[in-house]
Amino acid sequence: MAGFGALSSIVVSVPAHAQWAVYDGAAHVQTVLIAARELQQVNQEAQSLLNEATMLENQARNLANLPLSVLAPLEQSIQQTEQIVGQAQGLAYNLTSIDQAFSQIYPQALTNSVSAKQMTTDAQTRWQNARGAYQDGLRVQTGAVQNLDATRSQIDSLVTSSQSASGALQAAQSGNQLAALQTRQLADLTAVVTAMGRAQALEGARQVASEEQGRAQLTNFLNYGTGYTPGTAQMFH
């Protein structure tokens, strides 16, 4: 018995080295949920970065300039029209010059002090003014017609660029240039109407002045003095 007790004491005093692993289901689920939330957050951040990149790309497209510009040739054609109008012959587009001409060459009434030679000179000047004005009107019309081909080509190019515009800025710039072309056409039309109106006004003024000159010449012709006075004429010495 003494030997069994000693053996029991020995067995009991030996430490147990083998242990069983305990599975904690709640902790595992919590870990999985945390990982899922972190993955979802990463996906949201990635999507946010993708949206920001798309927004920056769209902004870059919206800020891109239109590669086509017709403003330079447009301005040049307007300057050419202005140059043609500025080369008006005879009576220019100037208020002071017009008032002076109508007081001298297109007078409201002619007095007896105006000589026949002066009347002839003024009539010639009026005719030259009217003829030059009609020629100026035709020159302005010719310039406007010549601009039509360039305008058609520019409109076609702008419409094509507008349809293929990659952003809002390009579309807006194309629309602005189309509006500028319409403005140029209105400017040409205004120049043509002005030039032809000038020609008609000068021709009308010439006719009115010619009527006044005819009246003055008839008055001078009828006012021939006291008439015939009989007298003695010596024919032979």
Side-chain angles (χ1 to χ4, degrees):
M1 293 294 294
F4 179 76
L7 180 59
S8 299
S9 175
I10 294 173
V11 171
V12 172
S13 62
V14 175
H17 295 285
Q19 298 181 0
W20 295 97
V22 179
Y23 173 74
D24 190 347
H28 180 71
V29 172
Q30 185 68 24
T31 302
V32 172
L33 291 176
I34 293 175
R37 285 195 295 268
E38 291 179 351
L39 179 60
Q40 183 180 8
Q41 183 177 2
V42 170
N43 289 334
Q44 290 177 351
E45 292 178 354
Q47 185 63 39
S48 177
L49 291 175
L50 180 61
N51 294 338
E52 185 175 356
T54 303
M55 181 183 66
L56 292 175
E57 182 180 0
N58 291 334
Q59 289 179 353
R61 290 177 179 177
N62 289 333
L63 295 177
N65 289 321
L66 189 70
L68 174 66
S69 177
V70 299
L71 297 181
L74 179 62
E75 182 178 358
Q76 182 179 2
S77 64
I78 292 178
Q79 291 177 352
Q80 291 176 351
T81 301
E82 291 179 346
Q83 184 178 4
I84 295 175
V85 173
Q87 294 173 349
Q89 305 176 59
L91 196 58
Y93 292 98
N94 184 277
L95 293 178
T96 303
S97 300
I98 292 174
D99 292 340
Q100 291 178 352
F102 268 76
S103 64
Q104 298 174 2
I105 306 174
Y106 304 87
Q108 184 175 0
L110 291 173
T111 62
N112 296 332
S113 61
V114 180
S115 63
K117 181 179 180 181
Q118 185 63 45
M119 289 183 182
T120 303
T121 301
D122 292 343
Q124 180 69 17
T125 301
R126 290 192 294 267
W127 178 83
Q128 291 176 349
N129 288 343
R131 181 184 181 280
Y134 278 113
Q135 182 180 5
D136 294 336
L138 291 176
R139 294 179 71 242
V140 174
Q141 291 183 45
T142 302
V145 171
Q146 290 176 349
N147 287 335
L148 291 178
D149 291 337
T151 300
R152 178 183 56 80
S153 177
Q154 292 166 353
I155 289 177
D156 292 342
S157 300
L158 285 174
V159 170
T160 302
S161 298
S162 177
Q163 292 176 345
S164 61
S166 60
L169 180 60
Q170 290 187 357
Q173 289 178 337
S174 178
N176 291 338
Q177 293 188 56
L178 284 171
L181 281 175
Q182 293 178 348
T183 303
R184 198 277 304 279
Q185 289 179 316
L186 289 176
D188 286 347
L189 179 60
T190 301
V192 170
V193 172
T194 302
M196 294 309 299
R198 172 177 178 266
Q200 294 175 359
L202 287 177
E203 173 60 20
R206 185 190 70 83
Q207 294 178 3
V208 171
S210 297
E211 292 177 0
E212 171 58 21
Q213 179 175 331
R215 184 201 62 78
Q217 289 174 334
L218 178 61
T219 301
N220 292 338
F221 175 77
L222 295 177
N223 187 18
Y224 48 82
T226 58
Y228 173 73
T229 303
T232 302
Q234 183 179 358
M235 299 181 61
F236 302 100
H237 293 285

